[in-house]
Amino acid sequence: GQSLEQPSEVTAVEGAIVQINCTYQTSGFYGLSWYQQHDGGAPTFLSYNALDGLEETGRFSSFLSRSDSYGYLLLQELQMKDSASYFCARGEGDKIIFGKGTRLHILP
Amino acid sequence: GAVVSQHPSRVICKSGTSVKIECRSLDFQATTMFWYRQFPKQSLMLMATSNEGSKATYEQGVEKDKFLINHASLTLSTLTVTSAHPEDSSFYICSARGGDQPQHFGDGTRLSIL
């Protein structure tokens, strides 16, 4: 996880919008993915950005700026079930390398 | 849709025991499988990459004699933790990819060594 940086924790209120940022090292960069992991579960794929811009999938959107080596995951209309850890991940050839994860706490 | 099945989901065993974890791709041929380890509140750390029919490629710091990986068929890879000790207790997760399929993750195996 040394090649990706993301905040360790974020807290938001139910119904609100939250943005989780991720910066990465550029060498061998193929694209940026986002995964959600609930406690005790396996990671589930949320989105992937290979090119600059915004990808929208329902309440979740992901953004990438290759020139800034930066991306973010945007969660809208937060629900309590969105409480989880969120990992940005980069492709390196066949591999996926994960960031350290951001723990999202949602307050009622 | 494509599914990766991982078994067992939970193992509790005594120190010194060897434990085998299976990872199966159910709807596609997995030319490449990956094994990850995740300690509590930490990230998923890639342990090794295995391609069907060839030796696994281990990440730096992962003991290949400790963590034996076999990928003998296009639908099955196994990870054997040999002579497991309490420090090997962790959450082990496999993933698989093949053809036009992206990486799909198994549900993970929680290993507890007493």
Side-chain angles (χ1 to χ4, degrees):
Chain A
Q2 293 112 345
S3 62
L4 300 111
E5 296 291 333
Q6 55 183 126
S8 59
E9 289 186 278
V10 172
T11 301
V13 178
E14 189 176 16
I17 299 172
V18 71
Q19 178 174 314
I20 300 174
N21 298 321
C22 176
T23 57
Y24 60 86
Q25 294 179 359
T26 56
S27 62
F29 178 77
Y30 285 83
L32 195 70
S33 303
W34 289 91
Y35 290 81
Q36 178 193 61
Q37 185 182 32
H38 286 98
D39 285 345
T44 55
F45 173 79
L46 293 177
S47 68
Y48 174 68
N49 296 72
L51 303 175
D52 286 359
L54 190 68
E55 294 284 340
E56 297 180 75
T57 309
R59 294 188 296 115
F60 295 177
S61 303
S62 59
F63 173 82
L64 178 67
S65 169
R66 296 174 72 105
S67 60
D68 295 322
S69 302
Y70 161 77
Y72 65 73
L73 178 69
L74 190 73
L75 297 85
Q76 303 183 70
E77 301 173 20
L78 283 172
Q79 302 175 10
M80 296 305 293
K81 67 178 182 179
D82 297 329
S83 295
S85 292
Y86 293 84
F87 295 88
C88 59
R90 55 177 287 170
E92 287 186 9
D94 267 351
K95 305 177 190 179
I96 295 178
I97 305 300
F98 287 83
K100 292 185 177 181
T102 298
R103 179 78 191 183
L104 175 60
H105 303 279
I106 300 177
L107 305 176
Chain B
V3 175
V4 172
S5 172
Q6 188 172 339
H7 178 81
S9 59
R10 174 122 197 186
V11 179
I12 302 173
C13 58
K14 294 181 179 180
S15 184
T17 307
S18 291
V19 178
K20 180 184 283 189
I21 303 169
E22 292 187 349
C23 182
R24 294 181 184 273
S25 60
L26 299 183
D27 294 329
F28 67 100
Q29 294 185 324
T31 50
T32 307
M33 287 188 170
F34 305 87
W35 288 95
Y36 294 84
R37 179 170 53 182
Q38 185 179 32
F39 292 107
K41 300 189 187 302
Q42 295 190 22
S43 185
L44 286 82
M45 299 302 296
L46 181 65
M47 299 174 67
T49 303
S50 73
N51 292 296
E52 186 266 337
S54 61
K55 289 184 179 180
T57 302
Y58 289 80
E59 295 298 304
Q60 190 173 10
V62 178
E63 301 173 61
K64 61 181 180 181
D65 296 329
K66 171 82 173 173
F67 300 99
L68 302 178
I69 292 172
N70 183 282
H71 190 170
S73 79
L74 284 170
T75 59
L76 175 64
S77 176
T78 61
L79 167 68
T80 301
V81 183
T82 61
S83 187
H85 289 94
E87 59 266 28
D88 298 321
S89 298
S90 188
F91 191 49
Y92 292 85
I93 308 170
C94 73
S95 70
R97 66 181 294 170
D100 58 357
Q101 294 288 338
Q103 262 194 51
H104 294 279
F105 285 84
D107 288 336
T109 297
R110 189 159 302 281
L111 176 61
S112 300
I113 308 298
L114 305 178

